[in-house]
Amino acid sequence: MTISELKKYFSENLKEIYTESESVFIFQVFVENILAINSIQLRQLADQEINLENEEKFLHIISELQTGKPYLQILGETEFYGMKFFVDENVLIPRPETEELLELAIQKIKTSENYQALKPSNGSIKILDIGTGSGVIPLVLKKYFPKAEITSIDFSEKALETAKRNATFHQLEVNFIHADYLNYDLNENFDVIISNPPYIGIDEEEEIADSVKEFEPKMALFSPTSDTLIFYRKIANDAEKFLNKNGLLFLEINQKLGPETADLFTEKLAEVQLIKDLSGNDRFIFGLK
């Protein structure tokens, strides 16, 4: 089978799931990964035969894609904030909104009083990440603030294995803790608390695409109780007790519950801002102690 024949076969067998342009994009991703051919070479080498081993790899990929499995899970990796991260069925595939959260956090931390006060003496700000998943949030922050002491909590041991793999790959040090945050007592103060916790309500499950809820960990997507804001209530209490003076809070939130979520923090912090994402949805909360 030639590359062009394989490309046609790929699209024909996935037309019930993906548009033509989506199929072309995903095909190019796997061609680059398996055949080490970029999009320009793909056109130039369209008539080149591929060997049986690689053909079987593509057939297996097609069969997995037909189940609705996200292509990044099959690929096993993704790019996020300019860095490569390993992903699997135990972690959420990081979304663009979380890149926006990190962009906000990096900008605010750099100009924060606590960071500026510690910077001349090479002091370390202390950051708490709640619900680490694949580790994208703490590892991006560690890259930008290498002297920071970062603690990252997750309830899933398998997610932490993936996060630690990513930390090893990037040679970045983060203190990963396996714990149920909702029943975990903090015992130290932090300059920054950041989190993208499970924020989808149980009653919203029908609205979520099957490719998400059937293949990504539900514990990372959905609130564990009928109280959709349960994580934010605990974070608000912890921020009041364990966030240092002039400390910063960054949260990704459910777009349907922006004002309700922000209200949890108004009496706990000196300043609270509800911030929209690039799509115009209430998506982030920024807080200053």
Side-chain angles (χ1 to χ4, degrees), residues 29-270:
V29 168
F30 284 105
V31 164
E32 187 164 348
N33 180 260
I34 295 171
L35 304 180
I37 294 174
N38 62 36
S39 57
I40 296 172
Q41 293 170 318
L42 179 60
R43 291 191 292 271
Q44 295 171 341
L45 303 174
D47 295 328
Q48 179 176 297
E49 293 278 342
I50 64 170
N51 62 41
L52 184 59
E53 180 183 356
N54 286 331
E55 184 178 320
E56 289 177 347
K57 286 181 182 178
F58 276 97
L59 294 178
H60 178 67
I61 288 166
I62 290 169
S63 65
E64 288 205 284
L65 288 170
Q66 286 174 329
T67 69
K69 188 173 184 177
Y71 79 92
L72 288 170
Q73 271 189 13
I74 300 169
L75 188 65
E77 61 187 55
T78 188
E79 184 176 305
F80 179 87
Y81 221 87
M83 298 167 65
K84 173 182 170 181
F85 288 94
F86 300 109
V87 293
D88 53 35
E89 69 278 5
N90 301 304
V91 299
L92 288 184
I93 296 169
R95 270 57 171 188
E97 292 82 5
T98 307
E99 289 188 317
E100 292 182 55
L101 176 70
L102 278 162
E103 188 173 0
L104 173 69
I106 291 166
Q107 174 193 357
K108 294 284 190 182
I109 292 170
K110 282 182 177 178
T111 58
S112 68
E113 287 190 33
N114 291 1
Y115 178 70
Q116 293 296 326
L118 291 166
K119 193 176 179 182
S121 61
N122 289 322
S124 304
I125 59 168
K126 297 178 71 173
I127 299 174
L128 173 65
D129 164 54
I130 300 163
T132 192
S134 60
V136 293
I137 288 177
L139 293 173
V140 168
L141 290 177
K142 186 65 175 179
K143 178 184 176 182
Y144 280 83
F145 304 99
K147 291 185 173 64
E149 295 178 20
I150 303 181
T151 299
S152 216
I153 299 173
D154 204 287
F155 186 45
S156 167
E157 286 186 90
K158 290 187 178 297
L160 286 175
E161 288 174 9
T162 304
K164 289 174 182 177
R165 183 186 178 197
N166 283 318
T168 300
F169 177 77
H170 288 289
Q171 297 183 308
L172 296 170
E173 185 177 343
V174 169
N175 176 31
F176 292 108
I177 295 176
H178 175 231
D180 175 5
Y181 172 69
L182 293 176
N183 295 294
Y184 182 75
D185 294 325
L186 297 179
N187 55 15
E188 60 180 314
N189 280 34
F190 297 90
D191 299 294
V192 176
I193 294 177
I194 187 167
S195 182
N196 177 20
Y199 59 65
I200 302 173
I202 295 172
D203 58 340
E204 297 179 76
E205 184 168 352
E206 290 185 1
E207 301 173 27
I208 306 302
D210 289 344
S211 60
V212 174
K213 65 187 178 186
E214 297 301 328
F215 293 94
E216 297 188 66
K218 288 189 176 183
M219 74 163 63
L221 289 165
F222 298 99
S223 170
T225 73
S226 58
D227 179 8
T228 308
L229 298 179
I230 188 169
F231 275 93
Y232 299 94
R233 296 186 201 282
K234 184 170 192 305
I235 292 171
N237 290 331
D238 282 346
E240 183 179 32
K241 297 174 185 175
F242 298 102
L243 193 59
N244 286 330
K245 180 176 171 53
N246 298 316
L248 307 179
L249 175 78
F250 303 96
L251 302 172
E252 188 170 331
I253 67 169
N254 187 324
Q255 67 185 52
K256 297 180 179 180
L257 299 170
E260 296 93 326
T261 310
D263 284 346
L264 298 175
F265 297 86
T266 52
E267 294 183 4
K268 314 282 187 182
L269 304 174

